[in-house]
Amino acid sequence: MSSEGTGGVTYECMRCGTPVTVEELSRLPEIKCICGFRVFRKARPPIVKQLKAI
């Protein structure tokens, strides 16, 4: 996830978990992972946000 620092958005394949950037997806003719699956989710940082209770 080194592209996070440059402002790029990283997605993960729901089947195999391969990280893919928006730039890589825009170069392909179809939005598809290398495994053939078409469903992606946005990769989030492992930081847990804590909110103060009222």
Side-chain angles (χ1 to χ4, degrees), residues 13-33:
C13 175
M14 290 293 288
R15 181 186 286 169
C16 65
T18 303
V20 183
T21 62
V22 175
E23 292 82 19
E24 292 172 354
L25 287 175
S26 65
R27 283 187 250 144
L28 300 173
E30 296 180 306
I31 297 178
K32 190 188 290 187
C33 180

